[in-house]
Amino acid sequence: MFGYKFLVTGGAGFIGSNLIDFLLSQGAAVVCLDNFATGKRENLNDASKNDRFTLYEGDIRNYEDCQKAVVGCDYVLHQAALGSVPRSIEDPMASTDVNIGGFVKMLHAAKEAGVKRFVYAASSSTYGDHPDMPKVEHKFGNALSPYAITKYVDELYARNFADLYGIECIGLRYFNVFGRRQDPNGAYAAVIPKFVSSLINHESPYINGDGSYSRDFTYIDNVVQANIKAATTPTKDIVCQMSLYANEQTIDFDASRPLSEVINIAYGERTTLNDLVVYLKEALSAYDSNILNVPTVYRETRNGDIPHSLASIKKASALIGYHPEYSVREGILEACGWYYKNLK
Ligand code: NAD
């Protein structure tokens, strides 16, 4: 990565800051564009000490900020968005404004700057109510939230910009990412940091529903690997693999169109919420054995939640050579160690 310059939007957030630290460790120059809507300055503590790092404080809804941040960059890893399904149900206009309006501005600025590739955070929520499992990229159902719609519209824009202007794009449909720095606080916190934070404080974790809902939980280091491979795998290799994959799946693929693909990024295994609590308790009991006795509380299911989620990672493996290094349980051990040190 030495000699390359990356723009990471949303770099003060959970996924973005982990991407930045990895890129810097590999010798890359990195620019972070963030308005700190949900990101934290402390996530950039290590990066800020590195002279290959530049923080550009700005908003992806402001085209000038996008233009200034992307100058001289080889690759964009676009993570900035307002995450969370419930947040988008409560305030669909804000999610649309940032996740679609901001996305198009950033994509346009990247195209104008002539970047080599635009890799962006898509989402498993795009599968909506499609019943098939595991989820394969070309089969999806009705969207269940404004958030899901915004992420799908981004995919359409990426395809369209590739066709119209030739900018290469890869969307990574993340499945329930977890790990160090994911925020445990606030109304829209994700389930793993929320449960870990409750358990560390000997408070009951709340499960929405009976705990049988399941997710394909994906450790952050797998997601970092996916982003780097999505950015740097040569175009001809991706196109060649995509032709074979399309043939195998009997789907249309036109190798003469500029590259714009969407790929699932997950571990490829599903864990129920009941099992998740057991794994978290086991991992945290290495630090405090009383955590094993904290009871779980069950309450009603939430609007917009899908019962199960499981990815096929065949396409990711074929196109960019993605092979997740951390299983769910390995990731949980890593994450719990980090949270115990940082939250206690
Ligand atoms: P996060 O909230 O920790 O990070 C998002 C970052 O974007 C924050 O630093 C925030 O300040 C920044 N941001 C928000 N609005 C902005 C704006 N208008 N201008 C500039 N910066 C802005 O979330 P995350 O979990 O790190 O998610 C990163 C990306 O991955 C998002 O696009 C999210 O939708 C997507 N995603 C995440 C998951 C997951 O499980 N965490 C799953 C699917 C998709």
Side-chain angles (χ1 to χ4, degrees), residues 10-16 33-40 58-61 79-83 98 121-124 147 151 174-177 182:
F14 158 50
I15 297 174
L33 170 61
D34 204 300
N35 70 348
F36 295 94
T38 57
K40 293 185 193 153
D59 196 310
I60 56 166
R61 289 168 296 181
Q79 311 300 310
L82 286 179
V98 176
S123 167
S124 60
Y147 174 74
K151 289 294 181 175
Y174 301 151
F175 281 66
N176 292 76
V177 189
Q182 192 174 26

